[in-house]
């Protein structure tokens, strides 16, 4: 046996035929012979799979044809013949392009090459990350194989559009070749996935602009209406936290005209996305905090960028504040010591003492000792809430009438402070005196910041319109947290109780502030709960942040769609879903360009989105300085 090769049949069961041979391509390159195979592109190839480097199931290098300019983010396809005679297509995206001259070994060789005294061959390389194989076979592409730009059906396969029905396609934007990139709605609405996380530098990455683009696509385009199946019950809730510019979404943008190059380009891009005549948001209600005034005075919204008559003032009456248990949202550090315990005790006691005021329609309450009520309320939150709904209105002389936050805080202080005339140990839960003092100090500190938001005659934010914008930018940070938490808790409660008819899409910027990675607070717990269970209950969070490292991972990790604009270098480690080249690129990416990552596509895809037809700042609404002055004078006279 030694010195001879086994022949067919010599070892039955081991070698059914000839010993496999190395594929010799000096004669006929069987794998790259595509004659007679269906679906092979008929256009000219743009390069060859580099045979001098490894081509793997994840990526490969491409030798670019010198007659072609193959740019970053281009979708490409290559093909090979399999052993059984079928064809296998690899689809990928160009993630890096490089070039050099073969023959140059020293830096000074560059001058000799330029003077033609040293021979050399110029070439360019492209790095390609594979997105998909069709059929699904985990094989590497064939070295030396031709590669083409993915067009028509091949581009559809590269972007998995053949796996996505037209009824669920949501355009994320345009790729670098001005072709739409889509995402299935089922990965956005909670059916298969939900939530959006948008990261990037403030003022450069256009985080909020992209969030609004998504909302516009969902509510104002045929794509969105078709994907949502025309549901009239879906709602969008937008918090305006960095100025009041988001309060102008129903106003036309004065740059979106045919005489402005920006408007001309924007219309072209919208047409490419299938939107022929973009207009501002059509069904919108804007809420602004009520100006500080006495109870009984008609609430006036505090806003300067739009007519106050077109804006709704918001706030909470004492009855709503107590019945909804909003006291916990006054604090952002309830985890300190036993603060959380005393807050819960006080919250329940307020509910037990609360009675409606006879003849009142503005939410005033009378705090009456449970022993003096017709029916003694229970000691738990649920039993006390049920009892309140059954209570008959009482007269002002039955107890202490509460019409403002100051009056409510004064009452609480009297009940929890040892030595006060109205002190009752039952209100403190037997915590130490230092804990009680810490609790009341925080409550008094927050009162000036929240005073305008809690008084008789104020109404909560309602979601009767398709898009509701809640302006919080002018409030103190404590008041902003209170408003965001109070509004979100109401929405969350409706969905938990199955009283919400459709889905609610929530746009919230500065997640770092509301759900920081370290520490805990009631609003953070609420947002983490929404991120974990929201998609199954119909609440979809579209969150944005400058620094993803500062946001609780339970929120960002639950996002099905991740979007990155220009980002600080120190934050690149948080972008584990991006290849190294993409992470480096995110540090210098141009404003208006975003890198998107979605479950259906295994590779991130950079996109651009068009300039909006709605105003995003005052200067885009008003045509001249005179108009600006006239509008502001009108607002001052109101």
């Amino acid at each position: 046996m030694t010195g001879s090769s086994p022949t067919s049949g010599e070892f039955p069961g081991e070698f059914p035929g000839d010993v496999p041979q190395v594929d010799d391509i000096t004669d006929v390159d069987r794998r790259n012979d595509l004659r007679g195979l269906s679906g092979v592109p008929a256009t000219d190839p743009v390069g060859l799979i580099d045979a001098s480097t490894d081509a793997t199931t994840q990526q490969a290098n491409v030798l670019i044809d010198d007659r072609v300019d193959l740019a970053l983010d281009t979708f490409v396809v290559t093909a090979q013949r399999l052993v059984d005679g079928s064809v296998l297509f690899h689809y990928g995206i160009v993630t890096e392009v490089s070039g050099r001259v073969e023959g140059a070994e020293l830096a000074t060789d560059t001058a000799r090459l330029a003077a033609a005294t040293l021979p050399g061959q110029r070439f360019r390389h492209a790095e390609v990350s594979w997105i998909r194989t069709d059929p699904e076979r985990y094989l590497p592409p064939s070295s030396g194989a031709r590669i083409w730009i993915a067009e028509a059906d091949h581009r559809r396969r590269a972007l998995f559009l053949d796996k996505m029905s037209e009824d669920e396609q949501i355009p994320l934007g345009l790729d670098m070749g001005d072709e739409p990139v889509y995402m299935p709605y089922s990965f956005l609405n909670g059916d298969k996935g939900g939530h959006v996380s948008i990261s990037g530098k403030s003022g450069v990455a256009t985080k909020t602009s992209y969030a609004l683009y998504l909302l516009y696509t969902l509510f104002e385009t045929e794509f969105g209406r078709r994907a949502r199946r025309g549901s009239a019950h879906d709602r969008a809730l937008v918090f305006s936290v960095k100025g009041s510019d988001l309060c102008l979404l129903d106003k036309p943008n004065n740059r979106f005209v045919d005489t402005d190059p920006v408007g001309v380009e924007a219309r072209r891009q919208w047409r490419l996305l299938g939107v022929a005549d973009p207009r501002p948001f059509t069904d919108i209600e804007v809420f602004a905090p009520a100006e500080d005034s006495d109870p009984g005075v008609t609430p006036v919204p505090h806003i300067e960028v739009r007519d106050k008559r077109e804006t709704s003032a918001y706030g909470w009456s004492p009855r709503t504040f107590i019945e909804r248990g909003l006291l916990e949202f006054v604090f952002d550090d309830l985890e300190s010591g036993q603060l959380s315990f005393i807050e819960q005790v006080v919250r329940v006691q307020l509910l037990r003492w609360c009675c409606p005021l006879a003849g009142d329609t503005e939410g005033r309450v009378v705090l009456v000792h449970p022993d003096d009520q017709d029916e003694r309320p229970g000691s738990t939150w649920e039993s006390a809430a049920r009892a309140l709904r059954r209570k008959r209105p009482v007269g002002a002389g039955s107890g202490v009438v509460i019409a403002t936050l100051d009056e409510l805080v004064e009452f609480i202080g009297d009940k929890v402070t040892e030595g006060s005339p109205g002190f009752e140990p039952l209100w403190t839960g037997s915590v130490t005196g230092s804990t009680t003092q810490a609790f009341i100090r925080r409550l008094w500190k927050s009162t000036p910041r929240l005073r305008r938001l809690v008084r008789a005659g104020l109404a909560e934010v309602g979601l009767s319109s398709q898009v509701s914008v809640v302006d919080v930018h002018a409030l103190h940070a404590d008041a902003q947290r209170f408003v965001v938490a109070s509004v979100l808790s109401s929405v969350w409660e409706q969905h938990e109780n199955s009283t919400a008819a459709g889905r609610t899409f929530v746009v919230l910027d500065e997640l770092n502030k509301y759900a920081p990675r370290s520490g805990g607070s009631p609003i953070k717990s609420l947002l983490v709960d929404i991120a974990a269970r929201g998609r199954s209950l119909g609440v979809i969070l579209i969150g944005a942040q400058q620094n993803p490292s500062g946001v609780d991972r339970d929120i960002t990790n639950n996002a099905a769609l991740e979007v990155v604009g220009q980002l600080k270098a120190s934050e690149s480690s948080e972008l584990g879903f991006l290849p190294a080249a993409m992470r480096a690129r995110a540090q210098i990416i141009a404003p208006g360009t975003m890198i998107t990552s979605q479950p259906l596509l295994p590779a991130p895809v950079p996109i651009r989105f068009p300039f909006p037809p709605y105003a995003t700042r005052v200067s885009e609404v008003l045509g001249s300085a005179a108009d600006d002055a006239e509008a502001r004078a009108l607002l001052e006279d109101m």
Side-chain angles (χ1 to χ4, degrees), residues 587-604:
Q587 301 170 31
I588 58 172
I589 199 169
T593 299
M594 316 295 283
I595 302 174
T596 62
S597 176
Q598 56 164 305
L600 198 59
L601 271 69

Side-chain angles (χ1 to χ4, degrees), residues 183-200:
M183 177 181 183
Y185 182 58
S186 56
F187 281 104
L188 191 61
N189 69 357
D191 288 349
K192 296 179 181 178
H195 308 309
V196 181
S197 176
I198 309 174
S199 303

